[in-house]
Amino acid sequence: MDLSIIIVNYKTEELTSNCIDSIIKSNTKGLDYEIILVDNASNDGSIEAIEKRFSEIRIIKNPENDGFAKGNNIGIEASRGDYILLLNSDTIVEQNTLKGAVAFIKDHRHIGALGCKILLPSGKLDPACKRSFPTPLNGLYHSLNLDTAFPDSTRFGAYNLTYVNENKTCSIDCIMGAFMLVPRAVIEQVGMLDEDYFMYGEDIDWCYRIKAAGFQVMYYPEIRIFHHKKASGIGKRNPKVIAAFYDSMIIFYNKHYQNKYNKLTRWCVITGTTVMKRMALAKNKRRK
């Protein structure tokens, strides 16, 4: 089998259904693929509705929600494809996205992870689809919005590589877990997603390990998907999701940067991230 597409569902019936529908309707002629949908204990009837609508896909029902990384790993373990595609449930693939991605990665054996151009519903680029590894310095510049103020600066724009042409195929540090194509042979060498990350950060960690193993992480804008990022809007969010976002930064820093920076830098990173987490949780609590 050429391709295994792993989608994790958690109470997103409509978005997940639209995602699966876009895959089925896309140009997959000559591509032997499977769709594996992993449900993280939605308990809202969404997985039953999807199961009824799409009888041709494989569905795995987890009794507990142990996070995005764990859900994807379960899907990977059940997969059969030579290439594994992690695909967010809130995405829509274009007509030639899947065939184009598989064809490109097959022709470039040095690639350990392939990402594509990811567009928001507005048609604008999701800047997180091509980025550098987060460091204390580029993270600070990003937090201060200096990358927005000076997008052409290689110094201030490093976090999301704002100075890199979005239409240029290039080797980068990180791609997004919303669309992440990885050869099975690479997974066998570097391991699966780190389940210490409940949500967020697991894609960055994977890219870090893939590059450390000598493979390239490639941004390939000739293929595209649309991403309904934060589709739930600006209302109150689950505090666990907010906490997971900031916790992922600390997990990544402790795992990969512990010995790269001095104690003062570490204290600044951990303290700053903790303060931002508390502020975000407090702001979310005030929302209606």
Side-chain angles (χ1 to χ4, degrees), residues 147-160:
D147 51 353
T148 302
F150 306 100
D152 296 327
S153 169
T154 56
R155 180 179 182 182
F156 297 132
Y159 191 86
N160 282 325

Side-chain angles (χ1 to χ4, degrees), residues 96 106 111 159 164 175 189 194 204 211 242 255 275:
N96 294 306
K106 279 185 174 181
I111 296 177
Y159 191 86
V164 173
I175 54 177
Q189 183 171 335
D194 186 341
I204 302 172
K211 289 201 73 171
I242 296 173
K255 181 176 179 180
V275 169

Side-chain angles (χ1 to χ4, degrees), residues 82 90 97 129 171 188 282:
D82 292 332
D90 57 353
T97 298
C129 69
S171 177
E188 290 172 349

Side-chain angles (χ1 to χ4, degrees), residues 1-5 23-24 26 28 31-35 98:
M1 179 170 287
D2 297 310
L3 177 66
S4 294
I5 305 169
I23 294 170
I24 294 172
S26 67
T28 55
L31 188 66
D32 188 13
Y33 76 97
E34 63 180 350
I35 300 174
L98 300 176

